[in-house]
Amino acid sequence: MEIKKVGVAGCGLMGHGITQVSAEAGYEVVVTELDRERLDAGIGKISKQLGRAVEKGKLEQSDADAVLDRINPTLDQGEFADCDLVLEAITEDLDLKLDLWKQLSGIVKEGALFATNTSSLPVITQAATTDRPENFIGLHFFNPVQRMPLLEVIQSVASSPEAMAAGLAYGEKLNKTTVETKDKAGFIVNRLLVPYLLDGIRGLEEGIGSIEEIDLAMKAGAGHPMGPLTLADFVGLDTLDSIAGVMFDEFRERRFAAPPTLRKMVAAGFYGVKSGRGFYDYSGEKPVAVNPGL
Ligand code: CAA
């Protein structure tokens, strides 16, 4: 199963990064979005990052142009027909993902690999709605995709060894560190990271420290690049809440349950960096901690 042409459904936070790293690795990439505005915004982010790399002298202008030339942004899912791998990076909503896969089953050529970038939803539920459950795996990237080395390659109960081998080969071509894992909610990283982030919020609720103190302690004491509350804002509080919900449903353990503060902030529309406010306010030059009013 050789991959030459990649399709990416969704050009948001994760989709634009997956599109960029795939094109940088030499793949032809078709990328779709729901509307022109979202598509232009995602491609704009890729152009900006390539422009910055050229400015810093890390990339030749001609190479940046070649990367952009390999990307075909379109609103027509029909363009996925001859892709060898189609990856979804749309909203973490199972019904939306199932609808997408039903449509793509009728469009994409036989033998092509399908993959989901879900952070916690079951891979097999999505695979089972397609015409090729054996050719369906999870390929879980990390934010920012251009920067984080890891790619989790997830085997569902139906994924064939050939599909896993193709996913691993794709990850290696992207120069990612690949780790094989199983279809259990949260896989490896979120299984460990999500309870930690939720505990950071519970610690804030219990008054172990202020927002800045909790973040500073984990940076200075554990060598993390970001403290847990900064990282929760970076992941997206809505995303964290929804991953916690899926993990709690699967494992029924308190450590996966979303703390009340998280629920309330999500209800208020405080989603973190993406909405301009979470545990920090991002409207100024530097983020400023905002007490969520516990
Ligand atoms: N998009 C693309 N590139 C980015 C970026 C972004 N959002 N943020 C930073 N970068 C790039 C910069 O362009 C820069 O590149 P060069 O070295 O080529 O110049 C490089 O990263 C370093 O940038 P900075 O010096 O500005 O930033 P930094 O050194 O403070 O690092 C960081 C920024 C990489 C985000 C770092 O803070 C970090 O590693 N944070 C933790 C991120 C993390 O844990 N991600 C996983 C989240 S969990 C997840 O994604 C899974 C899930 O399912 C929820």
Side-chain angles (χ1 to χ4, degrees), residues 14 16 49 52 56 58 118-119 140-148 189-190 193 225-226 231 234-235 239 243:
M14 301 305 286
H16 92 273
Q49 271 157 35
R52 242 188 265 137
K56 287 181 186 167
K58 292 186 171 175
T118 184
S119 5
H140 185 215
F141 288 85
F142 293 81
N143 178 26
V145 176
Q146 297 88 338
R147 178 80 190 172
M148 303 310 282
V189 172
N190 282 338
L193 183 64
M226 289 173 163
L231 184 53
F234 185 71
V235 165
T239 305
I243 300 175

Side-chain angles (χ1 to χ4, degrees), residues 85-242:
L85 160 66
V86 179
L87 243 150
E88 72 76 23
I90 66 167
T91 315
E92 270 306 75
D93 176 317
L94 187 58
D95 290 337
L96 290 180
K97 290 185 195 283
L98 297 183
D99 277 351
L100 176 78
W101 287 124
K102 275 181 214 150
Q103 290 168 34
L104 293 186
S105 291
I107 292 174
V108 183
K109 70 179 180 189
E110 216 178 293
L113 182 66
F114 282 173
T116 172
N117 178 54
T118 184
S119 5
S120 57
L121 295 168
V123 174
I124 187 59
T125 316
Q126 295 179 58
T129 60
T130 71
D131 57 349
R132 62 196 82 186
E134 69 291 349
N135 254 352
F136 195 116
I137 57 174
L139 288 174
H140 185 215
F141 288 85
F142 293 81
N143 178 26
V145 176
Q146 297 88 338
R147 178 80 190 172
M148 303 310 282
L150 183 64
L151 177 66
E152 287 180 323
V153 181
I154 300 131
Q155 182 167 31
S156 86
V157 287
S159 312
S160 69
E162 293 76 20
M164 286 296 284
L168 288 164
Y170 164 71
E172 273 145 34
K173 189 150 175 212
L174 299 191
N175 218 6
K176 293 291 181 197
T177 301
T178 52
V179 173
E180 284 183 66
T181 183
K182 301 286 180 199
D183 190 14
K184 314 270 179 200
F187 317 123
I188 297 175
V189 172
N190 282 338
R191 174 76 169 257
L192 300 169
L193 183 64
V194 168
Y196 157 72
L197 297 181
L198 300 177
D199 259 345
I201 302 172
R202 280 191 266 270
L204 180 70
E205 289 174 337
E206 289 162 21
I208 58 169
S210 66
I211 293 169
E212 293 100 322
E213 285 164 341
I214 292 174
D215 276 347
L216 181 61
M218 289 310 290
K219 280 168 67 178
H224 290 193
M226 289 173 163
L229 302 170
T230 300
L231 184 53
D233 275 0
F234 185 71
V235 165
L237 300 186
D238 54 335
T239 305
L240 179 60
D241 183 45
S242 100

Side-chain angles (χ1 to χ4, degrees), residues 22-38:
S22 298
E24 284 172 351
Y27 291 109
E28 293 296 320
V29 188
V30 175
V31 59
T32 61
E33 251 301 348
L34 288 175
D35 54 45
R36 178 60 55 189
E37 205 184 335
R38 287 186 172 92

